[in-house]
Amino acid sequence: MTAEHLYRTVRLIRRFEERAMDFVRSGEIVGGIHPYVGQEAIAAGVCAALRPDDVITSTHRGHGHVLAKGVDPARMLAELMGRENGLNRGRGGSMHAADFGLGILGANAIVGAAGSIATGAAWAYQRQGKDVVAVSFFGDGAMNEGMLLEAFNLAVLWRVPVVFVCENNGYATTMPVRSAVAGSITGRARAFGMPAFTVDGQDPEKVLAATTAAVSRARSGRGPTFLECTTYRFDAHHTFEHRARLNYRSTEELSTGRSRDPVEIQGERLAADVRAAVDAEIEALLDAAAGVALGGAHPDPAAALEFLYASPEVNR
Amino acid sequence: MPKLSYLKALNRALGDELAADESVFVLGEDVRVAASNLTAGLFDRFGPERVLDTPLSEQAFTNFATGAALAGLRPVIEFQIPSLLFLVFEQIANQAHKFSLMTGGQCQVPVTYVVPGSGSRTGWAGQHSDHPYSLFAHVGVKTVVPSSPADAYGLLLSAIRDNDPVVLFAPAGALGIRDDVDYASLQPVPLGVGRIVREGADVTVVALGHLVQDALAAADELAGQGISVEVFDPRTVYPLDVDGLAASVARTRRLVVIDDSNRTSGFGAEVLAVAAERFDLDAPPRRVTRPDGAVLPFAPALDRAVQPGRDHLLAAIHGVLEGKR
Ligand SMILES: Cc1ncc(C[n+]2csc(CCOP(=O)(O)OP(=O)(O)O)c2C)c(N)n1
Ligand SMILES: [Mg+2]
């Protein structure tokens, strides 16, 4: 069951992203996306370790995280298309997907910003007597944002039930991690006094095991854990790269990087017929999702600033 | 009647709201010992989880508050220096402010940011003397600058109860103001509603925070010359009480604004723009502000020279009464 569940999630994310890129090409999605292709095992493994009431914060490359946390692909796709039936009613788009009902406190387009938000949320739930754990996803690039390092400090000092998941895909856009991070990623985390592990981020089961331990540690009041999940981004930093080829990864590097595909790694753990059935189920789900998204209404321009304030503004 | 100081009023509002609402907590640097006095006595009353002393990590603890707000709490952050708001402009303008719209109304971020001692502090020089309320108004964050102890109490209460981020500037020049106050009469002051502090017939002077004192002094002085000045305190910079101001100007037909912002794109500029669009005036309106790009120099005489002062205000009032530019 777990093996199948993990496969279903990585396969769903992969096919969602491939279809989303088609919709970018056809113009149904404007502004492009940051594809999660290649990194699916991380979202799948991490979210499989969470309870429905646990919360996550996500990133600019966030489709995988929210799908793994249980978002309806139709509403997610509708959001990417800016429709009224989207997750955020078309007000957020690719980089801001949120579903508070599912504990998704929002994807964040500012690198390194969400770690402190997740820390505050986890602290607040704990203070309210709830044993909720927060997971904050971020990339290797975020390890150079001071605000995130400040958040590590607060989380450890105050024993906050948060798990920091660093997806080290080797690059921040085109900047290689080796040219950007002095010392080591886990060494930085350990300097704050939290346990930090490097995990094979291509294998959903390994990610699940590591996250399960980190979550149980957090839930039992022992504070944050840091997981560095090593991975590789198979596709573009952002779909703009499909048109403007940037020269920073060699073809040899690309083929080595793509050789460990999380969909294959997990797929090989299933019987062929089971795998084929899951694949067919996902295609049907995504066909239906595309129909729902394309059929969604475009928001009314007169309501462009609806939701700007939670308390109504005076004298607008 | 007992005297209540402006700073004590803020302290009282915070204490009352902490007592009334379990979800309220305050965080910031040195709040446990109440270095600024804003939180005096609150740690002993409410303990370390409600009065949370933070390391010097403004960016993280400002986002931390956003996260806590998303999880159902009502954080109040104290900032020791007005320019720390530049450091956390991202966290307020680009994070807290944007969550409601970007999530399609799924959440709210009821965080209050308080700066006890904004504007010039005499002798604290360039990096401690800013007054960036216009900046927050510009991005649409609710922004209040109380001028009296009763308003300080009432506006802080409303800010905490409001479901959106609110920045409250408590000008250094106002913290020591003491008024006779009947404690029983203290109540919330709604955001976005101004107040006529002094009635007059010849000219409306718009003033905020500590500058209300200067406006009242100018009004006293001019009364001796037979000039009747109305002082309008908008109390909230954003959203601005345009209707309240319009009603005042409809009577006086002349307008001067005194504003502790730099001149370009400041609050004073906004008031004049509103006047140009909406008001019927007998003379061109004027603004008294800090100069463009002002950095407050250290020496006290230089510090005062860049602040909008009473003499500039008197000159501006005479100017509009004579109908000159
Ligand atoms: C604070 C900040 N700086 C720069 C950017 C522009 N930007 C968006 S994604 C990105 C790279 C992020 O790299 P990483 O954190 O490793 O995540 P990845 O894209 O590899 O998933 C950059 C520089 C941003 N969004 N936020
Ligand atoms: Mg990266």
Side-chain angles (χ1 to χ4, degrees):
Chain A
M1 181 55 210
T2 304
E4 188 183 323
H5 171 80
L6 289 173
Y7 176 72
R8 179 177 281 106
T9 308
V10 292
R11 175 77 186 181
L12 171 68
I13 298 170
R14 172 68 52 88
R15 292 294 298 134
F16 182 94
E17 292 292 66
E18 286 171 348
R19 285 171 177 244
M21 285 190 277
D22 289 341
F23 284 123
V24 170
R25 283 183 206 101
S26 69
E28 291 293 348
I29 294 174
V30 298
I33 64 166
H34 297 83
Y36 195 63
V37 174
Q39 305 183 198
E40 297 90 341
I42 303 170
V46 167
C47 291
L50 300 181
R51 289 194 325 219
D53 60 340
D54 288 332
V55 300
I56 66 166
T57 62
S58 171
T59 68
H60 57 285
R61 198 179 304 290
H63 304 177
H65 309 140
V66 301
L67 288 168
K69 192 70 173 63
V71 142
D72 173 2
R75 294 188 60 215
M76 180 64 190
L77 195 56
E79 185 59 31
L80 302 186
M81 294 180 181
R83 307 299 174 107
E84 192 65 54
N85 59 344
L87 274 187
N88 305 27
R89 308 187 65 168
R91 269 69 171 181
S94 168
M95 291 190 279
H96 301 296
D99 189 332
F100 278 69
L102 293 172
I104 301 162
L105 306 185
N108 208 301
I110 297 304
V111 171
S116 40
I117 294 175
T119 302
W123 179 88
Y125 286 124
Q126 189 180 51
R127 220 207 75 183
Q128 295 170 92
K130 300 174 188 163
D131 66 343
V132 163
V133 171
V135 168
S136 186
F137 292 98
F138 49 87
D140 48 283
M143 288 302 293
N144 288 318
E145 294 290 353
M147 169 177 37
L148 182 61
L149 303 177
E150 291 178 11
F152 295 163
N153 187 52
L154 298 185
V156 175
L157 283 172
W158 298 338
R159 282 193 180 226
V160 177
V162 57
V163 178
F164 296 109
V165 177
C166 176
E167 304 189 50
N168 180 0
N169 61 8
Y171 292 88
T173 314
T174 68
M175 169 60 82
V177 67
R178 66 176 177 279
S179 310
V181 178
S184 77
I185 286 178
T186 49
R188 288 184 181 190
R190 283 192 200 106
F192 290 97
M194 80 183 132
F197 307 100
T198 300
V199 182
D200 176 3
Q202 299 311 96
D203 185 336
E205 296 191 352
K206 291 195 175 129
V207 175
L208 170 60
T211 312
T212 301
V215 167
S216 94
R217 185 169 186 277
R219 212 182 304 283
S220 62
R222 283 175 290 158
T225 299
F226 184 100
L227 302 177
E228 178 198 23
C229 299
T230 53
T231 184
Y232 196 72
R233 161 163 65 66
F234 287 10
D235 207 285
H237 167 66
H238 178 273
T239 45
F240 77 74
E241 231 189 279
H242 291 160
R243 284 170 287 115
R245 288 272 166 214
L246 305 175
N247 182 22
Y248 62 99
R249 303 197 291 188
S250 65
T251 30
E252 301 77 65
E253 183 196 299
L254 276 166
S255 68
T256 315
R258 288 173 179 154
S259 66
R260 295 196 65 242
D261 183 335
V263 177
E264 292 310 316
I265 289 173
Q266 195 59 25
E268 281 162 13
R269 292 174 179 149
L270 303 190
D273 59 329
V274 175
R275 183 175 175 177
V278 171
D279 289 357
E281 188 192 307
I282 285 169
E283 294 314 306
L285 180 69
L286 292 176
D287 284 343
V292 169
L294 288 165
H298 291 278
D300 176 3
L305 288 184
E306 203 182 350
F307 313 120
L308 181 55
Y309 297 98
S311 295
E313 193 197 346
V314 191
N315 280 348
R316 177 89 158 270
Chain B
M1 243 187 288
K3 288 273 187 203
L4 179 65
S5 83
Y6 186 113
L7 184 56
K8 187 68 197 160
L10 290 173
N11 172 255
R12 195 180 175 90
L14 201 47
D16 286 356
E17 217 39 24
L18 281 161
D21 183 350
E22 269 288 309
S23 67
V24 175
F25 73 103
V26 54
L27 70 163
E29 292 155 16
D30 310 300
V31 295
R32 184 176 64 83
V33 302
S36 74
N37 267 323
L38 177 71
T39 52
L42 300 181
F43 183 85
D44 291 341
R45 276 175 73 193
F46 299 103
E49 292 221 318
R50 310 283 307 281
V51 181
L52 186 62
D53 238 354
T54 59
L56 278 60
S57 302
E58 292 80 9
Q59 300 193 322
F61 71 62
T62 303
N63 266 353
F64 178 94
T66 297
L70 293 175
L73 299 184
R74 282 184 188 274
V76 178
I77 309 182
E78 175 185 342
F79 291 100
Q80 288 187 339
I81 311 170
S83 17
L84 295 180
L85 292 175
F86 297 142
L87 197 61
V88 298
F89 200 60
E90 143 69 20
Q91 288 74 18
I92 301 175
N94 199 31
Q95 300 287 344
H97 172 60
K98 292 185 177 172
F99 261 79
S100 178
L101 182 135
M102 292 198 311
T103 62
Q106 290 183 61
C107 63
Q108 55 188 39
V109 185
V111 183
T112 305
Y113 313 90
V114 183
V115 189
S118 55
S120 167
R121 301 177 167 191
T122 313
W124 284 76
Q127 292 179 332
H128 279 69
S129 304
D130 290 296
H131 222 163
Y133 49 81
S134 299
L135 216 51
F136 290 92
H138 181 74
V139 293
V141 174
K142 296 175 185 179
T143 304
V144 296
V145 190
S147 66
S148 72
D151 280 357
Y153 179 91
L155 286 167
L156 180 52
L157 224 59
S158 297
I160 297 171
R161 292 177 187 175
D162 196 86
N163 289 332
D164 293 307
V166 181
V167 185
L168 185 147
F169 289 87
L175 292 179
I177 295 175
R178 288 159 63 84
D179 280 346
D180 292 324
V181 170
D182 172 8
Y183 285 172
S185 74
L186 289 171
Q187 55 184 349
V189 171
L191 305 185
V193 180
R195 171 172 80 107
I196 292 169
V197 186
R198 174 186 174 123
E199 290 188 0
D202 299 330
V203 56
T204 297
V205 171
V206 177
L208 278 168
H210 64 300
L211 294 176
V212 169
Q213 301 299 312
D214 292 278
L216 290 173
D220 274 344
E221 186 172 333
L222 292 170
Q225 301 167 29
I227 299 168
S228 165
V229 174
E230 177 147 308
V231 177
F232 179 79
D233 173 6
R235 304 195 281 198
T236 304
V237 183
Y238 187 85
L240 178 62
D241 182 3
V242 174
D243 294 339
L245 178 58
S248 170
V249 171
R251 291 189 297 274
T252 62
R253 303 184 61 83
R254 293 177 201 266
L255 175 66
V256 173
V257 52
I258 182 164
D259 169 26
D260 199 25
S261 308
N262 295 351
R263 198 166 183 82
T264 297
S265 306
F267 168 69
E270 176 61 23
V271 169
L272 263 53
V274 168
E277 285 172 348
R278 296 202 24 185
F279 300 163
D280 213 1
L281 297 173
D282 289 343
R286 287 207 182 188
R287 61 187 147 149
V288 178
T289 66
R290 292 186 182 191
D292 269 335
V295 175
L296 260 59
F298 167 65
L302 302 182
D303 177 320
R304 273 195 302 279
V306 266
Q307 290 186 60
R310 210 168 291 177
D311 293 344
H312 304 111
L313 178 59
L314 287 169
I317 293 172
H318 283 301
V320 297
L321 288 170
E322 289 155 22
K324 294 187 310 203
R325 272 173 205 278

